Amino acid sequence: MKSNLFTVIFAIVMGVVCSLVLTAVAEWITPRREANEKAERYRNVLEIFNIAVAEGAANQEIIKTFEEKVTIVGDDPANPDYYLYGRLIAIPAQGPGLWGPIEGLIGLARDGTTITAVSFYKQEETPGLGGEIAGKDFTDRFVNKKLFDTRGQPALKLVRPGRAKGDYEVDAISGATMTSDKVQALITAAAEKFKSKEAE
Amino acid sequence: MKFLLRILDKVRPAFEADGRFAFFKPLFDAFDAFCFSSDETTKCAPFARDSLDIKRYMSMVIIGLLPATLAGLYFFGWRILPVIVVSYAAGGAVEVLFGIIRKETINEGFLVTGLIFPLTLPPGIPLWIVAVGMALGVLLGKEVFGGTGHNIFNPALVGRAIIAVGYAKPMTSAWIKPGARLWGNLGGYLTSPDAVTIATPLVQAKQQVYEPIANMFWGNVSGCIGETCAAAILIGGVFLLLMRIANWRTVVGIIGSFVVLNVIMRALSPEVFAPVGFNVLAGGLLFGAFFMATDPVTSPITNPAKWAYGIFIGCVTLLIRSLTVYTEGVMFAILLGNIFGPLFDEVVFRFRFRRYRLEI
Amino acid sequence: MAQAPVPIGGPTAKSTFLAGLWANNPIFCQILGICSALAVTTRLENSLVMGVALIFVIAMSNLAVSILRHLIPRRIRMIVEVAIIATFVIVFDQFLKGYYWEMSKQLGPYVGLIITNCIVMGRAEAYALHNKASLSVVDGIANGLGYAVILAIIGASRELIGTGKLLGYEVLSGNWYVPNHFFIYPPGAFIALGLLIWLIRAIKPQEDDSSQSGAGS
């Protein structure tokens, strides 16, 4: 049995060594990690604006392209109200899904209502049913639809598959009513938030 | 028949221990036992739970299932015949494989599983999904536990659960519009699955559109092959109750608790819970209560436990049906009931034998 | 803790290696490390990275514990082991966050949870405390590899059946293969792991059932 003093000293030395190692690692990694997070967010926005980014593009490249072309509107750069590229607009849309949070972006044309692109880059919906919202088949259905009606109210509706008519209706995913309802809710919420911020 | 018996007796030596085809003995025995009464007695459960032997037991269940099968045939057409044949072929293949590996005789249990399983599927289901579901059901629901009598879960429901989750799309959309004419869909095998599809009453009920009760009772609605015609299920089910094959406590427990809970919940929130009459006849509640929950292997043994098991299944069915994304909850409710069944038995044993323990 | 038969004259590098990989494999013999084996195996790529993480952590923590084995006071040895393991796990986690961002997002909390993986602690307690450093590293690598191989098999089968792909490349063509999503759900993991253990135990001669240790996280 070793002495109490030795035990205490050993514990202190172990603690110091471990924390030194962890501090060093954190110092080394943190800038890279933050760049990763930023680049990921920027890449999603660039894709909505249809600005080409190479598949394996480095973080700096993405951040540089983004900062050259896109303006962030809003007080908190990590959680902006919307993005501007020339007069094209991208609105962040987020909300609860069926199983987990859904995050996406809605791209609008110069008129501020015609949709150019939609993406849901984060979702955990049922694979094969609600999970299809991330697929191109679904997101393409939004293109050239209108987010707001002539009075400026959010008007886009997801309707039962095969029934979509006109500028304000999009076919929902068949067999995924619950997910479609959540998507509808988060699009309307994003549109309302955008209107209120734009008015400021 | 005599002719067949003579042939079987003649080739029997080839299948005995040192014969040329000893390898296929299980297959031979199965065929033999299916055609003629076996000269052997059952060696494994569920013999202790009923005075019937397993073969008579299984043939009674098949007779009980006939009305529902015929109703399915009438409403959805000849297409359900290949569905049943594929189910038997796939289940039988797995059964024979394990019979050969384990050198055991093949049990008649799969004759029931092989018929119940297709009756729980949408009529327009692709045949290969039927095969995958039945094979996985027999493998994972029965063989991994050691074969008939050892399984915890109803094999047909295990297979159905796997394909319901795995192939969610066809399992929730391959509905066929039931035939409304006098001869139903009997003339129309060639109705291709995606020709006339129609939402089931339970799907419509989520939008608070309720099918008329009469249609629900006679079965002229969309749904799984064997579950739509309440009248046929009741005929077969009451037959099983009278023959004492299905235990009335389980059946009454399920339907009774379902009705009671539904009445209470509908009074509290009518927009979420459907009307009682509709709900009892819709979906697979009756089919599950009479034919699946009463399976002797996977349901509890003691009478109080059978009550608890039935009430558990009835309540869980209603909650899943009304409060979750799933439109139907019978399948999951019975599987959960299978898990809790032994626990209910255990509680009953504890109470009954407490006296004896205290004396020791 | 179950131990493989130790050859006379103490363990050699070869016997240690084979024990970890097969005879006393952490997953199918000791049923340890099941949580992560179930959670991350939705795709082969995740399983491989998780396997590499575990090999790294066990080898390094075994090495450290073995070097310090005469110094560590008995009374606080568990705490010391946990501190060492936690340090290496965080190093690996940070490394992924810095250099393999996508992968780190996919694995989520499971890399951090290696700290609670019984295999790591178990090897430190059962092996590294009693054997010299070089052998301890071999033991760590072998056990990590035993875990990684099982994870890779489960990951490959779940990804293949559940999505028709392997490492993200389409293997079974979508023209005729309909993926069974059941296998990328959690219950699919239980069934895949259960079937694999069933199969291996059917092949592997059973020595003594009483030596099987209980389940762990």
Side-chain angles (χ1 to χ4, degrees), chain B residues 223-308:
Chain B
C224 296
I225 294 171
E227 71 173 24
T228 58
C229 181
I233 295 168
L234 284 174
I235 294 171
V238 169
F239 168 77
L240 288 189
L241 288 184
L242 291 178
M243 302 305 288
R244 309 217 166 198
I245 303 279
N247 192 293
W248 64 272
R249 292 173 187 85
T250 309
V251 178
V252 173
I254 294 175
I255 299 175
S257 64
F258 185 89
V259 168
V260 171
L261 188 65
N262 197 345
V263 169
I264 298 171
M265 297 308 275
R266 181 153 170 91
L268 295 176
S269 66
E271 68 278 8
V272 177
F273 292 87
V276 179
F278 167 85
N279 237 351
V280 170
L281 296 175
L285 181 77
L286 292 177
F287 189 84
F290 281 108
F291 299 113
M292 308 197 81
T294 53
D295 173 24
V297 181
T298 54
S299 60
I301 308 165
T302 56
N303 287 339
K306 280 190 204 295
W307 279 111

Side-chain angles (χ1 to χ4, degrees), chain B residues 61-255:
Chain B
V61 178
I62 289 186
I63 294 172
L65 284 168
L66 274 183
T69 314
L70 293 176
L73 196 64
Y74 175 78
F75 284 115
F76 300 116
W78 295 113
R79 187 171 196 283
I80 74 157
L81 284 184
V83 172
I84 294 173
V85 169
V86 167
S87 161
Y88 271 126
V94 176
E95 194 94 16
V96 167
L97 183 71
F98 274 86
I100 289 173
I101 292 176
R102 291 196 173 131
K103 306 198 170 31
E104 283 172 4
T105 50
I106 292 162
N107 212 298
E108 293 90 347
F110 101 95
L111 291 179
V112 169
T113 309
L115 183 58
I116 284 191
F117 177 71
L119 293 183
T120 64
L121 300 177
I125 191 86
L127 293 177
W128 65 268
I129 294 186
V130 179
V132 170
M134 184 63 189
L136 287 177
V138 174
L139 177 70
L140 300 175
K142 195 158 83 175
E143 298 303 346
V144 292
F145 295 105
T148 308
H150 302 280
N151 47 316
I152 311 174
F153 301 108
N154 188 321
L157 281 179
V158 171
R160 192 184 191 279
I162 291 176
I163 58 175
V165 175
Y167 305 110
K169 193 133 197 194
M171 284 294 283
T172 50
S173 61
W175 311 111
I176 293 181
K177 192 173 156 58
R181 286 151 284 126
L182 179 61
W183 281 106
N185 262 1
L186 270 182
Y189 161 64
L190 293 174
T191 336
S192 91
D194 42 18
V196 202
T197 64
I198 183 168
T200 65
L202 279 174
V203 173
Q204 294 174 339
K206 290 251 164 175
Q207 265 90 41
Q208 297 177 31
V209 177
Y210 304 115
E211 190 78 25
I213 297 279
N215 284 358
M216 307 285 300
F217 184 75
W218 294 113
N220 192 9
V221 290
S222 170
C224 296
I225 294 171
E227 71 173 24
T228 58
C229 181
I233 295 168
L234 284 174
I235 294 171
V238 169
F239 168 77
L240 288 189
L241 288 184
L242 291 178
M243 302 305 288
R244 309 217 166 198
I245 303 279
N247 192 293
W248 64 272
R249 292 173 187 85
T250 309
V251 178
V252 173
I254 294 175
I255 299 175

Side-chain angles (χ1 to χ4, degrees), chain A residues 151-195:
Chain A
R151 288 167 300 149
Q153 293 301 309
L156 194 73
K157 290 272 173 295
L158 290 174
V159 297
R160 287 184 56 188
R163 305 252 175 105
K165 280 191 217 88
D167 287 345
Y168 301 109
E169 292 184 351
V170 175
D171 282 332
I173 291 175
S174 58
T177 322
M178 304 282 266
T179 298
S180 299
D181 290 349
K182 306 277 184 193
V183 169
Q184 166 82 65
L186 72 90
I187 287 177
T188 308
E192 273 165 4
K193 184 169 173 244
F194 171 68
K195 261 286 168 270

